[in-house]
Amino acid sequence: MSLTLHGYWRSTAAYRVRTALAVKGVSYEQVTHDLRTGAQHEAGYCALNPQGLVPAMETDDAVLTQSPAILEWIDEVYPDPPLLPADATNRAIVRAMGATIACDIHPVNNLRILNALRAEFGADEAAVNRWIARWIGDGFAALETLIARHGDGFAFGAMPTIADCHLVPQVYSAERFAVDLSLYPHLKVAADNARALPAFAAAHPDRQPDADRA
């Protein structure tokens, strides 16, 4: 099967998908859409993804959108190694961890939201950074409790899961905006353990072909 991932090197949602593909050892092509220039709103891309957001993934017979759905598809189509636990209750916990990031942290810190804060509400960069830290902090506080309860080296258990595919990119974003992570020691250990793995390292934004070069 041929796969084409439409993304952007610094998009944390695309980062999640790259991570899952790397964990599974699945090859794919990348097409970049520079979010800073609004390339994701061009007509050709919107014909693929009407939301004009990244990521989107072209398969042989469909265009998949929304990173949580893409992650689940990857895990079903490429089941080894699994990114969800075998037990239904544990799968629900892992999905909830991912949703804490994908539904509650990331959307309000998305570039289009930050740009709206600047353009429509007059927020300066200090205010924008406070906004980012507030929502990351709320979500990470909840995840810290869940990881302390369910983690064993990773966000859930002793192997990486979809929860880690969400967590590592969000920690990358938190560090980029200088959010203090000392309040979340279990979360930080889980993220550090995951991003030390070769697959997670390969998905890092700085290692992507479209990354800014100094």
Side-chain angles (χ1 to χ4, degrees), residues 27 32 90 104 106 108 129 165 174 180 182-183 190:
S27 62
T32 188
N90 290 339
D104 296 329
H106 174 257
V108 293
N129 287 339
C165 293
D180 181 10
S182 64
L183 298 174

Side-chain angles (χ1 to χ4, degrees), residues 47-133:
L48 292 175
N49 182 358
Q51 276 194 294
L53 300 174
V54 298
M57 191 160 71
E58 292 185 82
T59 73
D60 287 345
D61 55 8
V63 177
L64 308 177
T65 62
Q66 294 292 344
S67 63
I70 298 172
L71 291 177
E72 297 253 1
W73 180 90
I74 291 169
D75 202 45
E76 291 178 16
V77 174
Y78 304 97
D80 185 36
L83 285 171
L84 284 168
D87 177 78
T89 298
N90 290 339
R91 287 198 301 274
I93 293 168
V94 167
R95 287 180 174 122
M97 287 179 165
T100 299
I101 292 169
C103 300
D104 296 329
I105 298 176
H106 174 257
V108 293
N109 289 336
N110 195 300
L111 180 61
R112 60 180 179 163
I113 300 300
L114 302 182
N115 284 340
L117 290 174
R118 297 179 180 107
E120 298 180 32
F121 298 95
D124 61 16
E125 290 309 300
V128 169
N129 287 339
R130 288 195 303 272
W131 173 275
I132 292 169

